[in-house]
Amino acid sequence: MILVDDEKAMLIILKRLLSQIEGVRLLGLKLENGVTSFTDVKTADWYNSAINTAYAYHLIEGFEDGTFRPMDKVTREQAMVILSKAMKITGLKAKLPVQLADEALLPFRDAAEVSVWAQTSVADSVQAGVVSGRSTTELALKDCMTRAEVATIIQRLLQYSGLI
């Protein structure tokens, strides 16, 4: 089980997901301090270093208006995009067999709802077994991630990547 020092860190699921400081450390990423690239994240914010780190490692990009929106809830689809990028860092993505996104998402009746910008990432997350559907036939892409789901996917990512 992954331990998180700060309950608030668990509430901001990397955007919230990697804002779990422990999650950043377990991925072996050096925390980045200093001025952020986002207009709505201040240097004094307690989550600044986690956001800077995630940005420095290309795990997050923010929004076109220059904001990060750290207090917004994260959808399962958004989390899978971040997760897929983390899978590159841990080497898990390179271990996946080549498979078309359509094939990986075939069992899910809501697969057509995957945003174009997230298709490959969602398929990679499902194919790796790091993320499963809310049911055997539904990914629930537009639903928000729960704290329990975040803890589970981070644990799976680290286990399947051989980091824990």
Side-chain angles (χ1 to χ4, degrees):
M1 186 53 116
I2 294 178
L3 301 175
V4 178
D5 295 335
D6 188 333
E7 180 64 19
K8 287 183 181 178
M10 197 58 165
L11 296 174
I12 297 186
I13 302 181
L14 184 38
K15 185 167 165 196
R16 303 200 172 198
L17 192 52
L18 274 172
S19 288
Q20 291 186 55
I21 303 301
E22 193 62 24
V24 172
R25 288 187 189 133
L26 287 172
L27 284 176
L29 307 180
K30 178 184 172 287
L31 289 175
E32 302 284 335
N33 295 307
V35 178
T36 182
S37 299
F38 304 107
T39 59
D40 59 344
V41 178
K42 307 297 178 229
T43 305
D45 290 339
W46 65 269
Y47 45 79
N48 178 52
S49 61
I51 290 172
N52 279 344
T53 302
Y55 183 74
Y57 285 90
H58 307 285
L59 296 170
I60 58 168
E61 297 174 12
F63 293 90
E64 291 178 0
D65 64 359
T67 63
F68 181 69
R69 303 177 194 167
M71 298 306 169
D72 283 2
K73 292 183 177 183
V74 175
T75 65
R76 289 171 50 86
E77 180 179 59
Q78 291 169 324
M80 286 186 243
V81 170
I82 297 167
L83 181 64
S84 178
K85 293 175 181 182
M87 288 169 46
K88 287 180 187 175
I89 292 172
T90 67
L92 181 58
K93 188 166 179 161
K95 297 176 186 175
L96 296 177
V98 176
Q99 183 179 31
L100 296 175
D102 291 347
E103 292 174 25
L105 302 178
L106 194 58
F108 302 100
R109 65 176 180 244
D110 59 348
E113 296 175 23
V114 178
S115 301
V116 173
W117 52 267
Q119 285 178 345
T120 302
S121 297
V122 170
D124 289 345
S125 298
V126 169
Q127 184 183 7
V130 178
V131 177
S132 58
R134 284 265 169 93
S135 72
T136 57
T137 61
E138 184 179 36
L139 286 167
L141 298 157
K142 308 306 179 193
D143 289 359
C144 295
M145 291 290 285
T146 66
R147 293 186 306 176
E149 287 174 322
V150 171
T152 299
I153 65 172
I154 290 177
Q155 182 176 9
R156 286 180 186 159
L157 170 66
L158 297 172
Q159 284 176 334
Y160 299 170
S161 300
L163 298 174
I164 59 170

